[in-house]
Amino acid sequence: GINAEYGGAGYVNETQGQVNEVMDIMKRNMDSVLERDTKIQNLHERADALQTGAHQFLQTGTQLKRKMWWKNAKFMIVLGVIGFILLGVVIGVIVYETKKK
């Protein structure tokens, strides 16, 4: 019957070899899929960390911008006050010298 038609044990061994080869290919494919999944997971985690870092950078930049604006405003106010005082002194000296004559 079957053994005579397909060569008996040789056919079974050949078929078993093909099954083993298909199993090896399937195992390699599964390993590749798992490795790809791990890489995607790592990429996702890195993207999340980058997004968090970008958000923190934006917040820090906004705070720094506000701080520097106030620092600049205070500096301009101080310069204005000093200029006003100097102008007052110059006008005072001119008025004093004019009245003195």
Side-chain angles (χ1 to χ4, degrees):
I2 294 178
N3 287 344
E5 272 182 49
Y6 297 108
Y11 173 75
V12 172
N13 289 338
E14 182 182 337
T15 303
Q16 185 63 46
Q18 290 174 349
V19 168
N20 289 341
E21 186 179 335
V22 169
M23 292 286 288
D24 288 342
I25 291 171
M26 288 176 64
K27 286 177 186 176
R28 284 195 303 268
N29 287 345
M30 287 298 294
D31 289 342
S32 295
V33 167
L34 291 174
E35 184 178 332
R36 179 178 170 267
D37 185 53
T38 301
K39 288 180 181 178
I40 289 173
Q41 181 70 24
N42 289 342
L43 184 60
H44 182 68
E45 289 170 2
R46 287 174 29 204
D48 285 345
L50 185 59
Q51 185 175 5
T52 301
H55 182 70
Q56 289 174 348
F57 179 78
L58 180 62
Q59 283 182 327
T60 303
T62 303
Q63 290 171 351
L64 183 60
K65 182 180 175 183
R66 242 183 250 130
K67 180 180 177 182
M68 293 308 292
W69 186 88
W70 276 112
K71 190 173 187 178
N72 188 40
K74 290 175 188 175
F75 181 71
M76 294 305 255
I77 290 170
V78 167
L79 281 180
V81 168
I82 291 173
F84 187 72
I85 291 172
L86 287 176
L87 184 62
V89 168
V90 168
I91 290 174
V93 168
I94 291 172
V95 169
Y96 178 75
E97 291 295 323
T98 304
K99 287 186 177 183
K100 192 170 139 180
K101 289 181 181 179

